[in-house]
Amino acid sequence: MTQAQQRPELDRDRDHRSDLDTRAPSIEQASPESGREGDTITIRGNHLMAVDKVTFQVGQDSRRGEVVHRGEDNQVKVRVPRGLPAGGGQISVSNGAGESNKLKFTVRS
């Protein structure tokens, strides 16, 4: 008898991880809603475990943030990138299945 036959939850876990990779993320909240370059913020939403890109945009200027921690499928911690001007902007995340909606975020100087 194989390990999967002995423990069917292993197959369910594998199937669940596959689902995480095939669904586009959606985001609901950034906490805090403003920050300076280098600050770490928490983004909450759905299908975030496989996020491989975080984009911060202020006006026409766009920078990629760094994912610093993936905890659960419903949250990811990211670092505010350097080089963005201060002001109101947006955050979005993406994975292999697509890009999320955008949330308002303010970059402080």
Side-chain angles (χ1 to χ4, degrees), residues 4-94:
Q5 290 170 325
Q6 292 172 353
R7 298 187 56 206
E9 69 273 12
L10 294 177
D11 279 340
R12 285 194 303 274
D13 289 347
R14 187 179 313 110
D15 291 343
H16 178 66
R17 283 193 303 276
S18 295
D19 288 346
L20 296 178
D21 295 341
T22 59
R23 295 182 187 167
S26 63
I27 53 178
E28 300 167 359
Q29 179 187 33
S31 180
E33 295 177 349
S34 66
R36 293 181 171 84
E37 64 181 40
D39 285 355
T40 298
I41 64 167
T42 300
I43 298 174
R44 290 183 176 81
N46 295 297
H47 314 299
L48 300 179
M49 186 65 79
V51 162
D52 58 3
K53 183 177 176 186
V54 181
T55 303
F56 288 76
Q57 184 170 354
V58 177
Q60 297 298 314
D61 205 352
S62 178
R63 297 278 190 274
R64 191 169 178 168
E66 174 190 2
V67 175
V68 294
H69 180 72
R70 286 180 190 84
E72 302 170 15
D73 193 39
N74 63 356
Q75 80 175 28
V76 63
K77 293 184 184 284
V78 302
R79 193 174 327 274
V80 178
R82 300 188 185 285
L84 283 171
Q90 301 176 331
I91 304 173
S92 64
V93 300
S94 59

Coordinates of all heavy atoms in Angstrom, one line a residue, residues 4-94:
A4 N 0.2 7.5 -0.1 CA -1.1 8.2 -0.4 C -2.3 7.3 -0.1 O -3.3 7.8 0.3 CB -1.1 8.6 -1.9
Q5 N -2.2 6.0 -0.4 CA -3.3 5.1 -0.1 C -3.6 5.0 1.4 O -4.7 4.9 1.9 CB -3.1 3.8 -0.7 CG -3.2 3.8 -2.2 CD -2.8 2.4 -2.8 OE1 -1.8 1.8 -2.3 NE2 -3.4 2.0 -3.9
Q6 N -2.5 5.0 2.2 CA -2.6 4.9 3.6 C -3.0 6.3 4.2 O -3.7 6.3 5.2 CB -1.2 4.6 4.3 CG -0.8 3.2 4.0 CD 0.7 3.0 4.4 OE1 1.4 3.9 4.9 NE2 1.1 1.7 4.3
R7 N -2.7 7.4 3.6 CA -3.0 8.7 4.1 C -3.6 9.5 3.0 O -2.9 10.3 2.4 CB -1.8 9.3 4.7 CG -1.2 8.5 5.9 CD -0.1 9.2 6.6 NE -0.5 10.5 7.1 CZ 0.4 11.5 7.3 NH1 1.7 11.3 7.1 NH2 0.0 12.7 7.7
P8 N -4.9 9.4 2.7 CA -5.6 10.1 1.6 C -5.5 11.6 1.7 O -5.5 12.3 0.7 CB -7.0 9.6 1.6 CG -7.2 8.7 2.8 CD -5.8 8.5 3.4
E9 N -5.3 12.1 3.0 CA -5.1 13.6 3.1 C -3.9 14.1 2.4 O -3.9 15.3 2.0 CB -5.1 14.0 4.6 CG -3.9 13.6 5.4 CD -3.9 12.2 6.0 OE1 -4.8 11.4 5.6 OE2 -3.0 11.9 6.8
L10 N -2.9 13.3 2.1 CA -1.7 13.7 1.4 C -2.1 14.1 0.0 O -1.7 15.1 -0.6 CB -0.7 12.7 1.3 CG 0.0 12.3 2.7 CD1 1.0 11.2 2.5 CD2 0.7 13.5 3.3
D11 N -3.0 13.4 -0.7 CA -3.5 13.7 -2.0 C -4.3 15.0 -2.0 O -4.2 15.8 -2.8 CB -4.3 12.6 -2.6 CG -3.5 11.5 -3.2 OD1 -2.3 11.8 -3.5 OD2 -4.0 10.4 -3.4
R12 N -5.2 15.1 -0.9 CA -6.0 16.3 -0.8 C -5.1 17.5 -0.6 O -5.3 18.6 -1.2 CB -7.0 16.2 0.3 CG -8.1 15.3 0.0 CD -9.2 15.5 1.1 NE -8.8 15.2 2.4 CZ -8.8 14.0 3.0 NH1 -9.1 12.9 2.3 NH2 -8.4 13.9 4.3
D13 N -4.0 17.4 0.2 CA -3.1 18.6 0.4 C -2.4 18.9 -0.9 O -2.3 20.1 -1.2 CB -2.1 18.2 1.5 CG -2.6 18.2 2.9 OD1 -3.8 18.6 3.0 OD2 -1.9 17.7 3.8
R14 N -2.0 17.9 -1.6 CA -1.3 18.2 -2.9 C -2.2 18.8 -3.9 O -1.9 19.8 -4.6 CB -0.8 16.8 -3.5 CG 0.1 17.1 -4.7 CD 0.7 15.8 -5.3 NE 1.2 14.9 -4.4 CZ 0.7 13.7 -4.0 NH1 -0.4 13.3 -4.5 NH2 1.3 12.9 -3.1
D15 N -3.5 18.4 -4.0 CA -4.5 19.0 -4.8 C -4.7 20.4 -4.4 O -4.9 21.3 -5.3 CB -5.8 18.2 -4.8 CG -5.7 16.8 -5.5 OD1 -4.7 16.6 -6.2 OD2 -6.6 16.0 -5.2
H16 N -4.8 20.7 -3.1 CA -5.0 22.0 -2.6 C -3.9 23.0 -3.0 O -4.1 24.1 -3.5 CB -5.2 22.0 -1.1 CG -5.4 23.4 -0.5 ND1 -6.5 24.1 -0.8 CD2 -4.7 24.1 0.3 CE1 -6.5 25.3 -0.1 NE2 -5.3 25.3 0.6
R17 N -2.6 22.5 -2.9 CA -1.5 23.3 -3.3 C -1.6 23.6 -4.8 O -1.2 24.7 -5.2 CB -0.2 22.6 -2.9 CG 0.1 22.7 -1.4 CD 1.6 22.3 -1.2 NE 1.9 20.9 -1.6 CZ 1.6 19.8 -0.9 NH1 1.1 19.9 0.2 NH2 2.0 18.6 -1.4
S18 N -2.0 22.6 -5.6 CA -2.1 22.9 -7.0 C -3.1 23.9 -7.3 O -2.9 24.8 -8.2 CB -2.5 21.6 -7.7 OG -1.5 20.6 -7.6
D19 N -4.3 23.9 -6.6 CA -5.3 24.9 -6.7 C -4.7 26.3 -6.4 O -5.1 27.3 -7.1 CB -6.5 24.6 -5.8 CG -7.3 23.5 -6.3 OD1 -7.1 23.0 -7.5 OD2 -8.1 23.0 -5.5
L20 N -3.9 26.4 -5.4 CA -3.3 27.7 -5.0 C -2.5 28.3 -6.2 O -2.6 29.5 -6.4 CB -2.4 27.5 -3.8 CG -3.0 27.1 -2.5 CD1 -1.9 26.9 -1.5 CD2 -4.1 28.0 -2.1
D21 N -1.9 27.5 -6.9 CA -1.0 27.9 -8.0 C -1.8 28.3 -9.3 O -1.3 28.9 -10.2 CB 0.0 26.9 -8.4 CG 1.0 26.6 -7.3 OD1 1.1 27.5 -6.4 OD2 1.6 25.6 -7.3
T22 N -3.1 27.8 -9.4 CA -3.8 28.1 -10.6 C -4.9 29.1 -10.5 O -5.6 29.4 -11.4 CB -4.5 26.7 -11.1 OG1 -5.4 26.3 -10.0 CG2 -3.5 25.7 -11.4
R23 N -5.0 29.7 -9.3 CA -6.0 30.8 -9.2 C -5.4 32.1 -9.1 O -4.4 32.3 -8.3 CB -6.8 30.5 -7.9 CG -7.7 29.3 -7.9 CD -8.4 29.2 -6.7 NE -9.1 27.9 -6.6 CZ -9.7 27.4 -5.5 NH1 -9.6 28.0 -4.4 NH2 -10.3 26.2 -5.6
A24 N -5.9 33.1 -9.8 CA -5.4 34.5 -9.7 C -5.7 35.0 -8.3 O -6.7 34.8 -7.7 CB -6.0 35.4 -10.7
P25 N -4.7 35.8 -7.7 CA -4.9 36.4 -6.4 C -5.9 37.5 -6.4 O -6.2 38.1 -7.4 CB -3.5 36.9 -6.0 CG -2.9 37.2 -7.3 CD -3.4 36.2 -8.3
S26 N -6.5 37.8 -5.2 CA -7.3 39.0 -5.0 C -6.8 39.5 -3.7 O -6.5 38.8 -2.8 CB -8.8 38.7 -5.0 OG -9.1 37.8 -3.9
I27 N -6.9 40.9 -3.6 CA -6.4 41.5 -2.3 C -7.5 42.4 -1.8 O -8.3 43.0 -2.5 CB -5.1 42.3 -2.5 CG1 -5.2 43.3 -3.7 CG2 -4.0 41.3 -2.8 CD1 -3.9 44.1 -3.9
E28 N -7.6 42.4 -0.4 CA -8.6 43.1 0.3 C -8.1 44.2 1.2 O -8.8 45.2 1.4 CB -9.4 42.1 1.1 CG -10.1 41.0 0.3 CD -10.6 39.9 1.2 OE1 -10.4 39.9 2.4 OE2 -11.1 38.9 0.6
Q29 N -6.9 44.1 1.7 CA -6.4 45.1 2.6 C -4.9 45.1 2.7 O -4.2 44.1 2.5 CB -6.9 44.7 4.0 CG -6.5 45.6 5.1 CD -6.8 45.1 6.5 OE1 -6.9 43.9 6.7 NE2 -7.1 46.0 7.4
A30 N -4.4 46.3 2.8 CA -2.9 46.5 3.1 C -2.8 47.2 4.4 O -3.6 48.1 4.7 CB -2.3 47.4 2.0
S31 N -1.9 46.6 5.2 CA -1.8 47.2 6.6 C -0.3 47.3 6.9 O 0.4 46.4 6.9 CB -2.5 46.2 7.6 OG -2.3 46.7 8.9
P32 N 0.1 48.6 7.2 CA -0.7 49.8 7.2 C -1.0 50.2 5.7 O -0.4 49.7 4.8 CB 0.2 50.8 7.9 CG 1.6 50.3 7.6 CD 1.5 48.8 7.6
E33 N -1.8 51.2 5.6 CA -2.2 51.7 4.2 C -1.3 52.7 3.7 O -1.5 53.3 2.6 CB -3.6 52.3 4.3 CG -4.7 51.2 4.6 CD -6.1 51.8 4.7 OE1 -6.2 53.1 4.7 OE2 -7.0 51.0 4.8
S34 N -0.2 53.0 4.4 CA 0.9 53.9 3.9 C 2.2 53.5 4.5 O 2.2 52.8 5.5 CB 0.6 55.4 4.3 OG 0.6 55.5 5.7
G35 N 3.3 53.9 3.8 CA 4.6 53.5 4.4 C 5.7 54.2 3.6 O 5.5 54.7 2.5
R36 N 6.9 54.1 4.2 CA 8.1 54.6 3.5 C 8.9 53.5 2.9 O 8.7 52.3 3.2 CB 9.0 55.2 4.6 CG 8.4 56.5 5.2 CD 9.4 57.0 6.3 NE 8.9 58.3 6.8 CZ 8.0 58.5 7.7 NH1 7.5 57.5 8.3 NH2 7.6 59.7 8.1
E37 N 9.8 53.8 2.0 CA 10.6 52.8 1.3 C 11.3 52.0 2.4 O 11.8 52.5 3.4 CB 11.5 53.4 0.3 CG 12.6 54.3 0.9 CD 13.5 54.8 -0.2 OE1 13.0 55.2 -1.3 OE2 14.7 54.9 0.1
G38 N 11.3 50.7 2.2 CA 11.9 49.8 3.1 C 11.0 49.2 4.2 O 11.3 48.2 4.9
D39 N 9.8 49.9 4.4 CA 8.9 49.4 5.4 C 8.3 48.1 4.9 O 8.1 47.8 3.7 CB 7.7 50.4 5.6 CG 8.1 51.6 6.4 OD1 9.2 51.7 6.9 OD2 7.2 52.5 6.5
T40 N 7.9 47.2 5.9 CA 7.2 46.0 5.6 C 5.7 46.2 5.9 O 5.3 46.7 6.9 CB 7.8 44.8 6.5 OG1 9.2 44.7 6.2 CG2 7.0 43.5 6.2
I41 N 4.9 45.8 4.9 CA 3.5 45.8 5.1 C 2.9 44.4 4.9 O 3.5 43.6 4.3 CB 2.8 46.8 4.1 CG1 3.0 46.4 2.6 CG2 3.4 48.2 4.3 CD1 2.1 47.1 1.7
T42 N 1.7 44.2 5.4 CA 1.0 43.0 5.2 C -0.2 43.2 4.3 O -1.0 44.1 4.4 CB 0.4 42.5 6.6 OG1 1.5 42.3 7.5 CG2 -0.3 41.2 6.4
I43 N -0.2 42.3 3.3 CA -1.4 42.4 2.3 C -2.2 41.1 2.6 O -1.7 40.0 2.7 CB -0.8 42.3 0.9 CG1 0.0 43.6 0.6 CG2 -2.0 42.2 -0.1 CD1 0.7 43.6 -0.8
R44 N -3.5 41.4 2.8 CA -4.5 40.3 3.0 C -5.4 40.1 1.8 O -5.8 41.1 1.2 CB -5.2 40.6 4.3 CG -4.4 40.5 5.5 CD -5.2 40.7 6.8 NE -4.3 40.5 8.0 CZ -3.5 41.4 8.5 NH1 -3.4 42.5 7.9 NH2 -2.8 41.1 9.6
G45 N -5.8 38.9 1.6 CA -6.7 38.6 0.5 C -6.8 37.1 0.3 O -6.8 36.3 1.3
N46 N -6.9 36.7 -1.0 CA -7.1 35.3 -1.3 C -6.1 34.8 -2.4 O -5.7 35.6 -3.2 CB -8.5 35.0 -1.8 CG -9.5 35.3 -0.7 OD1 -9.5 34.6 0.3 ND2 -10.4 36.3 -1.0
H47 N -5.7 33.6 -2.3 CA -4.7 32.9 -3.2 C -3.4 33.7 -3.3 O -2.9 33.9 -4.4 CB -5.4 32.9 -4.6 CG -6.8 32.4 -4.6 ND1 -7.1 31.1 -4.1 CD2 -8.0 33.0 -4.9 CE1 -8.4 31.0 -4.2 NE2 -9.0 32.0 -4.6
L48 N -2.8 33.9 -2.1 CA -1.6 34.7 -2.0 C -0.4 33.8 -1.8 O 0.8 34.3 -1.9 CB -1.7 35.7 -0.9 CG -2.8 36.8 -1.0 CD1 -2.8 37.7 0.2 CD2 -2.7 37.5 -2.3
M49 N -0.5 32.6 -1.6 CA 0.6 31.7 -1.3 C 1.6 31.7 -2.5 O 2.8 31.6 -2.3 CB 0.2 30.3 -1.0 CG 1.3 29.4 -0.6 SD 2.1 29.8 1.0 CE 0.9 29.2 2.1
A50 N 1.1 31.7 -3.7 CA 2.0 31.6 -4.9 C 2.3 32.9 -5.5 O 2.9 33.0 -6.6 CB 1.3 30.7 -5.9
V51 N 2.1 34.0 -4.8 CA 2.4 35.4 -5.3 C 3.9 35.4 -5.6 O 4.7 35.1 -4.8 CB 2.0 36.5 -4.3 CG1 2.7 37.8 -4.6 CG2 0.5 36.6 -4.4
D52 N 4.2 35.9 -6.8 CA 5.7 36.0 -7.2 C 6.0 37.4 -7.6 O 7.2 37.7 -7.9 CB 6.0 35.0 -8.3 CG 5.2 35.1 -9.5 OD1 4.4 36.0 -9.6 OD2 5.4 34.3 -10.4
K53 N 5.0 38.3 -7.6 CA 5.3 39.7 -8.0 C 4.4 40.6 -7.2 O 3.2 40.4 -7.2 CB 5.1 39.9 -9.5 CG 5.4 41.2 -10.0 CD 5.2 41.3 -11.6 CE 5.4 42.6 -12.1 NZ 5.1 42.7 -13.5
V54 N 4.9 41.7 -6.7 CA 4.2 42.7 -6.0 C 4.5 44.1 -6.7 O 5.7 44.4 -6.8 CB 4.5 42.8 -4.5 CG1 3.7 43.9 -3.8 CG2 4.3 41.5 -3.8
T55 N 3.5 44.8 -7.2 CA 3.8 46.0 -7.9 C 3.2 47.2 -7.1 O 2.1 47.2 -6.7 CB 3.2 46.0 -9.3 OG1 3.7 44.9 -10.0 CG2 3.5 47.3 -10.1
F56 N 4.1 48.2 -6.9 CA 3.7 49.5 -6.3 C 3.7 50.5 -7.4 O 4.7 50.6 -8.1 CB 4.7 49.9 -5.2 CG 4.6 49.1 -3.9 CD1 5.1 47.8 -3.9 CD2 4.0 49.6 -2.8 CE1 5.1 47.1 -2.7 CE2 3.9 48.9 -1.6 CZ 4.5 47.6 -1.6
Q57 N 2.7 51.3 -7.5 CA 2.6 52.3 -8.5 C 2.2 53.7 -7.9 O 1.2 53.7 -7.2 CB 1.7 51.9 -9.7 CG 1.7 52.9 -10.8 CD 0.9 52.4 -12.0 OE1 0.5 51.2 -12.1 NE2 0.8 53.2 -13.0
V58 N 2.9 54.7 -8.2 CA 2.6 56.1 -7.9 C 2.7 56.9 -9.1 O 3.7 57.0 -9.7 CB 3.5 56.7 -6.8 CG1 3.1 58.1 -6.5 CG2 3.4 55.8 -5.5
G59 N 1.5 57.4 -9.6 CA 1.5 58.1 -10.9 C 2.0 57.2 -12.0 O 1.5 56.1 -12.1
Q60 N 2.9 57.6 -12.8 CA 3.4 56.8 -13.9 C 4.6 55.9 -13.5 O 5.1 55.1 -14.2 CB 3.9 57.7 -15.1 CG 2.8 58.5 -15.7 CD 1.7 57.6 -16.3 OE1 2.0 56.7 -17.0 NE2 0.4 57.9 -16.0
D61 N 5.0 56.1 -12.2 CA 6.2 55.4 -11.7 C 5.8 54.1 -11.1 O 4.9 54.1 -10.2 CB 6.9 56.2 -10.7 CG 8.4 55.9 -10.5 OD1 8.8 54.9 -11.1 OD2 9.1 56.6 -9.9
S62 N 6.4 53.0 -11.5 CA 6.0 51.7 -11.0 C 7.3 50.9 -10.5 O 8.3 51.0 -11.2 CB 5.4 50.9 -12.1 OG 5.0 49.6 -11.7
R63 N 7.2 50.3 -9.3 CA 8.4 49.5 -8.8 C 7.9 48.2 -8.3 O 6.8 48.1 -7.8 CB 9.1 50.3 -7.7 CG 9.7 51.6 -8.1 CD 11.1 51.4 -8.7 NE 11.8 52.6 -8.9 CZ 11.7 53.5 -9.9 NH1 10.8 53.2 -10.9 NH2 12.4 54.6 -10.0
R64 N 8.8 47.3 -8.3 CA 8.5 45.9 -7.8 C 8.9 45.8 -6.3 O 10.0 46.1 -5.9 CB 9.2 44.9 -8.6 CG 8.8 43.5 -8.3 CD 9.4 42.6 -9.4 NE 9.0 41.2 -9.1 CZ 9.2 40.2 -9.9 NH1 9.7 40.4 -11.1 NH2 8.8 39.0 -9.6
G65 N 7.9 45.4 -5.5 CA 8.2 45.2 -4.1 C 8.8 43.8 -3.8 O 8.6 42.9 -4.7
E66 N 9.4 43.6 -2.7 CA 10.0 42.3 -2.4 C 9.1 41.5 -1.4 O 8.6 42.1 -0.4 CB 11.3 42.5 -1.7 CG 12.0 41.3 -1.1 CD 13.2 41.6 -0.2 OE1 13.5 42.8 0.0 OE2 13.8 40.6 0.2
V67 N 8.8 40.3 -1.8 CA 8.0 39.4 -0.9 C 9.0 39.0 0.2 O 10.0 38.4 -0.1 CB 7.4 38.2 -1.6 CG1 6.7 37.3 -0.6 CG2 6.5 38.6 -2.7
V68 N 8.7 39.3 1.5 CA 9.6 38.9 2.6 C 9.0 37.7 3.4 O 9.8 37.1 4.1 CB 9.9 40.1 3.5 CG1 10.7 41.1 2.7 CG2 8.6 40.7 4.1
H69 N 7.7 37.4 3.3 CA 7.2 36.3 4.0 C 5.9 35.9 3.4 O 5.0 36.7 3.2 CB 7.0 36.7 5.5 CG 6.4 35.5 6.3 ND1 7.2 34.4 6.6 CD2 5.2 35.3 6.8 CE1 6.4 33.6 7.4 NE2 5.2 34.1 7.5
R70 N 5.7 34.6 3.2 CA 4.5 34.0 2.8 C 4.0 33.1 4.0 O 4.7 32.1 4.3 CB 4.6 33.1 1.6 CG 4.8 33.9 0.3 CD 4.9 32.9 -0.9 NE 5.3 33.6 -2.1 CZ 6.6 33.9 -2.4 NH1 7.6 33.5 -1.6 NH2 6.8 34.5 -3.5
G71 N 3.0 33.5 4.6 CA 2.6 32.7 5.8 C 1.5 31.7 5.4 O 1.6 30.5 5.5
E72 N 0.4 32.3 5.0 CA -0.8 31.5 4.7 C -1.3 32.0 3.4 O -0.8 32.9 2.8 CB -1.9 31.8 5.8 CG -1.4 31.4 7.2 CD -2.4 31.9 8.3 OE1 -3.6 32.2 7.9 OE2 -2.0 31.9 9.4
D73 N -2.3 31.3 2.9 CA -2.8 31.6 1.5 C -3.5 33.0 1.5 O -3.8 33.5 0.5 CB -3.8 30.5 1.1 CG -4.1 30.7 -0.4 OD1 -3.2 31.0 -1.2 OD2 -5.3 30.4 -0.8
N74 N -3.8 33.5 2.7 CA -4.6 34.7 2.8 C -3.8 35.9 3.2 O -4.3 37.0 3.4 CB -5.8 34.6 3.7 CG -5.4 34.3 5.2 OD1 -4.2 34.2 5.5 ND2 -6.4 34.2 6.0
Q75 N -2.5 35.8 3.3 CA -1.7 37.0 3.6 C -0.2 36.8 3.1 O 0.3 35.7 3.1 CB -1.7 37.4 5.1 CG -0.8 36.6 6.0 CD -0.9 37.2 7.4 OE1 -1.9 37.8 7.8 NE2 0.2 37.0 8.1
V76 N 0.4 37.9 2.8 CA 1.8 38.0 2.4 C 2.4 39.3 2.9 O 1.7 40.3 3.0 CB 1.9 37.9 0.9 CG1 1.3 39.0 0.1 CG2 3.3 37.7 0.4
K77 N 3.6 39.2 3.4 CA 4.3 40.4 3.8 C 5.3 40.8 2.7 O 6.0 40.0 2.2 CB 5.1 40.2 5.1 CG 4.1 39.9 6.3 CD 4.9 39.7 7.6 CE 3.9 39.4 8.7 NZ 3.1 40.5 9.2
V78 N 5.3 42.2 2.5 CA 6.1 42.7 1.4 C 6.8 44.0 1.9 O 6.4 44.6 2.8 CB 5.3 43.0 0.1 CG1 4.6 41.7 -0.4 CG2 4.3 44.1 0.3
R79 N 7.9 44.3 1.2 CA 8.7 45.5 1.5 C 8.4 46.5 0.5 O 8.4 46.3 -0.7 CB 10.2 45.1 1.5 CG 11.1 46.2 2.2 CD 12.5 45.8 2.3 NE 12.8 44.4 2.6 CZ 12.8 43.9 3.8 NH1 12.5 44.6 4.9 NH2 13.1 42.6 4.0
V80 N 8.2 47.7 0.9 CA 7.9 48.9 0.0 C 9.3 49.2 -0.7 O 10.3 49.3 -0.1 CB 7.5 50.1 0.8 CG1 7.3 51.3 -0.1 CG2 6.2 49.8 1.6
P81 N 9.2 49.2 -2.0 CA 10.5 49.4 -2.8 C 11.0 50.8 -2.7 O 10.3 51.8 -2.4 CB 10.0 49.1 -4.2 CG 8.6 49.4 -4.3 CD 8.0 49.1 -2.9
R82 N 12.3 50.9 -3.0 CA 13.0 52.2 -3.1 C 12.7 52.9 -4.4 O 12.4 52.2 -5.4 CB 14.5 52.0 -3.0 CG 14.9 51.3 -1.7 CD 16.4 51.3 -1.5 NE 16.8 50.6 -0.3 CZ 16.7 51.1 0.9 NH1 16.2 52.2 1.1 NH2 17.1 50.3 1.9
G83 N 12.8 54.2 -4.4 CA 12.7 55.0 -5.7 C 11.4 55.5 -6.1 O 11.3 56.1 -7.1
L84 N 10.3 55.2 -5.3 CA 9.0 55.8 -5.7 C 8.9 57.2 -5.1 O 9.3 57.4 -4.0 CB 7.9 54.9 -5.1 CG 7.6 53.6 -5.8 CD1 6.7 52.7 -5.0 CD2 7.1 53.9 -7.2
P85 N 8.2 58.1 -5.8 CA 7.9 59.4 -5.2 C 6.9 59.3 -4.1 O 6.1 58.3 -4.1 CB 7.4 60.2 -6.4 CG 6.8 59.2 -7.3 CD 7.7 57.9 -7.1
A86 N 6.9 60.2 -3.2 CA 5.8 60.3 -2.2 C 4.5 60.6 -2.8 O 4.4 61.4 -3.8 CB 6.2 61.3 -1.1
G87 N 3.4 60.0 -2.3 CA 2.1 60.3 -2.9 C 1.2 59.1 -2.9 O 1.6 58.0 -2.6
G88 N 0.0 59.3 -3.3 CA -1.0 58.3 -3.4 C -0.8 57.4 -4.6 O -0.4 57.9 -5.6
G89 N -1.0 56.1 -4.4 CA -0.8 55.2 -5.4 C -1.6 53.9 -5.2 O -2.6 53.9 -4.6
Q90 N -1.1 52.8 -5.8 CA -1.8 51.5 -5.8 C -0.8 50.4 -5.6 O 0.4 50.5 -6.0 CB -2.5 51.3 -7.1 CG -3.5 52.3 -7.4 CD -4.2 52.1 -8.8 OE1 -3.5 51.5 -9.7 NE2 -5.4 52.5 -8.9
I91 N -1.3 49.3 -5.1 CA -0.5 48.0 -5.0 C -1.3 47.0 -5.7 O -2.6 46.9 -5.6 CB -0.4 47.5 -3.5 CG1 0.2 48.6 -2.6 CG2 0.4 46.3 -3.5 CD1 0.2 48.2 -1.2
S92 N -0.6 46.1 -6.4 CA -1.3 44.8 -6.9 C -0.3 43.7 -6.8 O 0.9 43.9 -6.6 CB -1.7 45.0 -8.4 OG -0.5 45.2 -9.2
V93 N -0.8 42.5 -6.8 CA 0.1 41.3 -6.7 C -0.3 40.4 -7.9 O -1.4 40.5 -8.4 CB -0.1 40.6 -5.4 CG1 0.3 41.5 -4.2 CG2 -1.5 40.0 -5.2
S94 N 0.6 39.5 -8.2 CA 0.3 38.5 -9.3 C 1.0 37.2 -9.0 O 2.0 37.1 -8.3 CB 0.7 39.1 -10.7 OG 2.1 39.4 -10.7

